[in-house]
Amino acid sequence: MKPVRVVTLWWMLLLGAARKGAAQESTFYYGTFPAGFSWGVGSSAYQTEGAWDQDGKGPSIWDAFTHSGTGKVLGDDTADVACDSYYKVQEDVMLLRELNVSHYRFSLSWPRLLPTGIRAEQVNEKGIRFYSELIDALLRSDITPIVTLHHWDLPQLLQVKYGGWQNASMATYFRDYADLCFAVFGDRVKHWITFSDPRAMVEKGYETGLHAPGLRLPGTGLYKAAHHIIKAHAHVWHSYNDTWRGRQRGLVGISLNCDWGEPVDVSDPKDVEAAERYLQFCLGWFANPIYAGDYPQVMKDRIGRKSVEQGLEASSCRRSHCRDTSVPVPTGSQQLRARCVPPFQTQYGDPPIYVTENGAPQRVPCSQLCDEWRIHYLKGYINEMLKAVKDGANIRGYTAWSLLDKFEWDKGYSDRYGLYYVRFIDRNRPRHPKASMRYYKKIIAANGFPSPREVDRWHREALDMCSIDNQMLAAEPLLSHMQLVTEIVVPTVCALCVLIAAVLLLLLLSRRS
Ligand SMILES: *[C@@H]1O[C@H](CO)[C@@H](O)[C@H](O)[C@H]1NC(C)=O
Ligand SMILES: *[C@@H]1O[C@H](CO)[C@@H](O)[C@H](O)[C@H]1NC(C)=O
Ligand SMILES: *[C@@H]1O[C@H](CO)[C@@H](O)[C@H](O)[C@H]1NC(C)=O
């Protein structure tokens, strides 16, 4: 494993290929990725595991949030069972083997390992065993685990007792938790992600209240939470560097998400500046402190000025009123490569990049397994990533989001991101491959897009297969109905038979006597 400069940044590239029209199809780039490029899929604990109160797991803020009901989540869905992945390790690893991915990104549930959140209080051995078995099963299949320490499911007790990420002491509890994970899994796990999309976590958790813990602390809560998260990341990075890296030789990064912003009019310096400012507020907010040791200048300037306008104290300004609504919304692009690579390479010293999450939800239930539009999405985004690599971006791996349809936070089960369809109404939670899974599998096997003929053939084959799969899926309600017949009706009928036989026997006997 190559040593990394300061911090490896795992970075969700949001390449603007979604709006690719037919006219731009001619710009499709045929070619392959460098040898050893890592292909994967991802998931997170709360969204997939289920078993929310099993084997000693403590509650998380998401358990509390979903159980409080009252329309916080679409359809009042919970992830109490979700994909039931806690009980389906072997089955899920088989799906990964079928795709032949090089890595699997998943997250550890902090309250499954530490029920109260605090290591000094209680460690759940069954939680350690569960993740150990998953890691071992992956390694036996030659799949590299990429492990997220915190994907939004903070232990509920840390929230109710201490205010969660509003409290500076979270950084210490998080470091203790991370140290436990390094101690018990670090011999086998070499790729760590501290936080997944902390920006969404603080904006939705502490500003809008749409996500757990559901707090609305406008203008202050999110900056405070972000500040503690950045510090927690630094603590963990240094702890790994000082204590574990010598023996374990792994990487510790963070997964940051930002939509791309670009000037509405490139010849207008104000637009150019607005786009740059937008990126600093979106990505620089977390990346700058990690790479350069401080918040972006433009953030400090803006917040400073605004805080003066609003009569706030200078000391609190960094964390308040950062929102800038004057920034133009990102628009479609012709020159994606030119925009996408250089700022990152130049501002943050060309770090190795792993795309940790890239995918899109689907709400149309009728197309189910024939998700042709997702094929276009994956094809477009991965192709833009290939162009970026050819332009010199240091991208080492890509993670499609996600392996399975799963609990989608405030959207419940209505947003489906999976390469595999999950039938949530069936208590066995069966998984079915979508067309996009078959297509992605071909990209992985070819390590890119070798030729137009080949790529067209994948498309056709994936869609042929999915119509057959769809018919089977449509027949499934019938099958599960038959299952119902065998499980309930047949025993009932049998019981009736026995009863009738007994009555007949009695009658017979009574006649004889
Ligand atoms: C799976 O991937 C490995 C490593 O890239 C490759 O050597 C192997 O041939 C692939 N297996 C299949 C069945 O495609
Ligand atoms: C922050 O957490 C500590 C425990 O680590 C606690 O003593 C303190 O009261 C908390 N502060 C607030 C404001 O909740
Ligand atoms: C990381 O650890 C190495 C080896 O102990 C040390 O030389 C280096 O200064 C550390 N890096 C940082 C940024 O602390």
Side-chain angles (χ1 to χ4, degrees):
M1 195 69 59
K2 259 182 87 178
V4 273
R5 251 175 36 77
V6 182
V7 167
T8 311
L9 189 70
W10 268 280
W11 159 248
M12 289 180 262
L13 284 178
L14 250 142
L15 308 173
R19 290 176 219 86
K20 261 165 85 83
Q24 284 170 278
E25 216 41 41
S26 59
T27 65
F28 194 87
Y29 183 92
Y30 288 94
T32 53
F33 284 82
F37 189 83
S38 192
W39 295 100
V41 286
S43 74
S44 90
Y46 184 69
Q47 294 178 282
T48 55
E49 281 177 9
W52 76 281
D53 61 350
Q54 299 296 296
D55 290 346
K57 178 183 168 292
S60 77
I61 54 172
W62 271 95
D63 292 314
F65 189 72
T66 54
H67 292 169
S68 66
T70 62
K72 284 181 175 155
V73 172
L74 209 65
D76 284 341
D77 287 333
T78 75
D80 291 359
V81 179
C83 308
D84 210 21
S85 285
Y86 185 74
Y87 296 108
K88 290 180 180 293
V89 169
Q90 299 308 326
E91 186 177 339
D92 286 350
V93 171
M94 283 311 293
L95 304 181
L96 295 165
R97 289 174 67 132
E98 176 63 28
L99 271 164
N100 203 19
V101 287
S102 348
H103 69 260
Y104 178 48
R105 178 192 171 199
F106 62 95
S107 80
L108 308 177
S109 158
W110 182 349
R112 195 180 289 292
L113 290 164
L114 303 176
T116 65
I118 298 175
R119 187 181 178 183
E121 290 178 359
Q122 194 191 344
V123 176
N124 181 20
E125 292 300 329
K126 284 185 177 167
I128 294 179
R129 203 173 316 140
F130 166 66
Y131 291 116
S132 251
E133 282 171 15
L134 171 58
I135 291 163
D136 288 342
L138 292 171
L139 292 175
R140 273 198 303 277
S141 303
D142 269 332
I143 298 167
T144 302
I146 294 188
V147 177
T148 311
L149 289 166
H150 189 49
H151 203 129
W152 305 3
D153 48 354
L154 187 77
Q156 168 69 356
L157 290 177
L158 292 181
Q159 189 69 48
V160 291
K161 279 164 85 177
Y162 305 132
W165 290 104
Q166 292 299 292
N167 191 322
S169 61
M170 277 320 104
T172 312
Y173 296 134
F174 183 66
R175 192 206 43 213
D176 292 347
Y177 157 62
D179 268 332
L180 169 75
C181 299
F182 297 148
V184 295
F185 309 126
D187 56 335
R188 292 157 290 162
V189 174
K190 306 300 171 188
H191 297 74
W192 296 97
I193 297 172
T194 51
F195 293 92
S196 185
D197 195 356
R199 192 173 55 89
M201 189 170 131
V202 300
E203 283 181 358
K204 294 180 178 176
Y206 293 89
E207 167 91 6
T208 65
L210 291 175
H211 281 188
L215 298 175
R216 287 197 185 88
L217 306 164
T220 54
L222 78 170
Y223 294 108
K224 212 165 159 182
H227 196 68
H228 298 148
I229 285 169
I230 293 163
K231 282 192 157 169
H233 170 82
H235 273 324
V236 167
W237 191 91
H238 282 286
S239 176
Y240 190 82
N241 194 58
D242 296 346
T243 311
W244 307 99
R245 197 189 300 286
R247 262 171 289 165
Q248 301 186 346
R249 314 211 156 270
L251 300 172
V252 178
I254 187 167
S255 182
L256 302 178
N257 178 25
C258 175
D259 292 338
W260 196 256
E262 66 183 80
V264 172
D265 175 0
V266 283
S267 64
D268 185 342
K270 273 201 203 135
D271 279 5
V272 173
E273 198 230 305
E276 172 63 18
R277 190 168 64 236
Y278 165 80
L279 289 175
Q280 291 298 346
F281 270 77
C282 173
L283 176 66
W285 181 10
F286 290 90
N288 252 59
I290 290 168
Y291 278 90
D294 200 357
Y295 290 107
Q297 191 59 43
V298 62
M299 260 182 113
K300 294 198 287 184
D301 290 349
R302 287 254 147 180
I303 299 158
R305 187 168 57 79
K306 285 195 183 178
S307 71
V308 172
E309 280 166 13
Q310 303 190 15
L312 295 173
E313 274 192 37
S315 62
S316 72
C317 67
R318 182 177 290 177
R319 296 175 202 142
S320 58
H321 301 283
C322 249
R323 309 253 325 141
D324 188 348
T325 48
S326 63
V327 170
V329 180
T331 58
S333 97
Q334 308 293 323
Q335 293 178 344
L336 185 76
R337 287 182 288 163
R339 288 180 300 108
C340 206
V341 181
F344 203 81
Q345 273 181 318
T346 55
Q347 286 184 20
Y348 303 121
D350 197 17
I353 297 166
Y354 288 79
V355 178
T356 52
E357 196 171 319
N358 178 235
Q362 166 188 28
R363 289 191 193 172
V364 197
C366 57
S367 62
Q368 288 178 342
L369 304 182
C370 293
D371 54 347
E372 188 176 8
W373 66 275
R374 187 180 274 112
I375 288 181
H376 287 300
Y377 177 94
L378 288 174
K379 184 182 172 190
Y381 274 66
I382 293 172
N383 198 246
E384 294 303 315
M385 180 175 67
L386 177 59
K387 292 175 189 171
V389 168
K390 296 292 173 192
D391 279 356
N394 191 2
I395 306 173
R396 305 278 179 85
Y398 171 85
T399 313
W401 194 259
S402 51
L403 175 65
L404 304 172
D405 289 340
K406 58 194 179 336
F407 177 81
E408 210 48 55
W409 314 110
D410 54 319
K411 304 292 190 317
Y413 294 98
S414 67
D415 274 10
R416 290 175 173 271
Y417 277 82
L419 297 178
Y420 282 90
Y421 179 88
V422 178
R423 258 175 71 85
F424 291 106
I425 54 165
D426 187 319
R427 71 189 161 97
N428 291 322
R429 302 297 192 276
R431 287 92 157 111
H432 301 273
K434 298 183 191 175
S436 56
M437 173 271 168
R438 300 191 190 281
Y439 191 85
Y440 184 46
K441 184 180 161 152
K442 301 283 192 186
I443 297 178
I444 295 174
N447 197 26
F449 305 95
S451 72
R453 248 188 66 191
E454 191 94 333
V455 173
D456 285 347
R457 185 167 54 80
W458 299 347
H459 191 130
R460 272 197 315 277
E461 286 177 2
L463 290 173
D464 284 351
M465 284 302 294
C466 77
S467 4
I468 301 168
D469 291 339
N470 245 352
Q471 284 167 19
M472 282 170 61
L473 188 69
E476 206 163 81
L478 202 68
L479 291 176
S480 54
H481 183 69
M482 281 163 65
Q483 195 180 347
L484 200 74
V485 169
T486 38
E487 281 177 14
I488 298 171
V489 182
V490 172
T492 313
V493 169
C494 287
L496 276 174
C497 289
V498 172
L499 212 67
I500 292 167
V503 170
L504 282 175
L505 203 67
L506 273 176
L507 282 174
L508 262 167
L509 288 173
S510 60
R511 270 192 196 176
R512 282 213 179 157
S513 54

